[in-house]
Each structure stands twice: as C-alpha cells, then as structure tokens.
Amino acid sequence: NNISENKKSESKTVRNNKVTFINNQNILSQFLELSREINQSTGWDFEIDTIEPLQYGEYHESQEYGWHIDQHNIAHADKKVRKISFSIFLNESFTGGEFDLEVYNPNHDCRYETFSKLPVNTALFFKSDYWHRVRPVSKGIRKSLVGWVLGPKMK
C-alpha cells in the first residue's frame, strides 16, 4: 500500500514496504516496561501507560519510508498520543536502508544522524515527534521491529 506526501512541490513515496503487526500482550508488556526505563533514564519523564502493537517490517530492494513523524496531530479515541518510538534492527544482510533521525537544529549543516548497520537486536529509542526516515534498500532485505508508546495528550 503506497502512501504519498507532497514535499517541495514533488510527489515522494513515503512508504512502499509491507508490514505485519504483533499483538502478543506478554511481549508488549515487556516492551512497555523497557520503554518506561528508557523514559526515566533519558530524563524525558513522559507520562506513558500504553503501547501499540509492534510492527514487523521488511524493506526489499528499492523500498523505503520517507521523512515522517510518528506522533499524530489528533489523539486516539482514548485521548492517548504517541510519545516514544523505537526501532529494532533485526539483521545486517542488506545494503542501503539507512535510518536517519533528525536530532539537530537548523544551524547545523546536517540536521540528522544516520544509523547504518547497528548490531542485530539493537534498539533505537526516540521521541515520537522527531522526523526520521528509512532510505531505499539497494541490496538484500532490511528487517526491523518498530513500536510506539503512548500516554495522555500533553497539555
């Protein structure tokens, strides 16, 4: 399923890979607990209490996910919003597919950090309102597990 966005007057594919969701409550509760520890150790101190189903994704050659943020403008029906996102790198047998995360202000020449081949099972946690993307895979299949942790809408 392709989703398109209009950026700088040109049409750009945002996502063209396939995903599957994992809704095992035991697994989700473990990731929620880990997210609480990360939330505290980073000093974010967000009020978080819910986790969405995990998303397993595979990016085949030429597949990508363009610049986006995970936090939506409108809260879910239960008034929760995404506050913390994470991506777990599940394999290294691919080329391309770099993960870019915008962490710098406009005064920097390059506003993002690039994460290429992190060790298998490495998790990258970040605030859900940070811009990020997955660059096109040029060879092999990039596999990842993505999650979102929610809490009450910020006031």
Side-chain angles (χ1 to χ4, degrees), residues 18 23 25 27 32 35 37 39 45 53 57 62 70 75 77 84 87 93 98 115 119 130 142 148:
K18 293 186 179 178
N23 200 13
Q25 291 306 307
I27 294 171
L32 179 58
S35 299
E37 292 172 19
N39 185 43
D45 296 325
S62 78
D70 294 336
I84 298 173
S87 184
S93 56
E98 297 88 351
F115 300 89
Y130 278 21
R142 180 190 189 276
W148 306 277

Side-chain angles (χ1 to χ4, degrees), residues 59-74:
Y59 294 82
H60 295 254
E61 288 184 26
S62 78
Q63 293 183 330
E64 65 182 301
Y65 193 176
W67 284 110
H68 66 283
I69 59 173
D70 294 336
Q71 192 175 77
H72 304 293
N73 292 332
I74 300 171

Side-chain angles (χ1 to χ4, degrees), residues 7-132:
K7 197 171 195 177
K8 295 184 182 176
S9 300
E10 44 183 271
S11 181
K12 171 112 176 105
T13 299
V14 173
R15 165 181 269 159
N16 60 4
N17 72 310
K18 293 186 179 178
V19 297
T20 303
F21 291 91
I22 300 168
N23 200 13
N24 178 292
Q25 291 306 307
N26 185 37
I27 294 171
L28 292 176
S29 65
Q30 292 179 47
F31 275 104
L32 179 58
E33 184 55 36
L34 176 60
S35 299
R36 286 183 171 129
E37 292 172 19
I38 298 293
N39 185 43
Q40 183 178 11
S41 68
T42 57
W44 293 337
D45 296 325
F46 292 133
E47 187 178 345
I48 54 174
D49 56 15
T50 308
I51 188 167
E52 290 185 37
L54 301 177
Q55 176 185 279
Y56 170 76
E58 291 185 355
Y59 294 82
H60 295 254
E61 288 184 26
S62 78
Q63 293 183 330
E64 65 182 301
Y65 193 176
W67 284 110
H68 66 283
I69 59 173
D70 294 336
Q71 192 175 77
H72 304 293
N73 292 332
I74 300 171
H76 291 288
D78 62 2
K79 307 287 191 229
K80 308 279 175 132
V81 296
R82 291 177 175 173
K83 295 184 178 182
I84 298 173
S85 299
F86 58 88
S87 184
I88 302 170
F89 299 78
L90 299 178
N91 71 325
E92 298 174 332
S93 56
F94 62 92
T95 305
E98 297 88 351
F99 184 88
D100 292 328
L101 179 64
E102 188 173 47
V103 293
Y104 301 115
N105 68 43
N107 293 327
H108 280 78
D109 290 338
C110 183
R111 293 176 56 171
Y112 57 86
E113 283 285 336
T114 298
F115 300 89
S116 296
K117 297 264 180 100
L118 293 177
V120 172
N121 297 326
T122 297
L124 181 62
F125 283 78
F126 55 96
K127 296 177 184 179
S128 295
D129 63 350
Y130 278 21
W131 286 90
H132 56 286

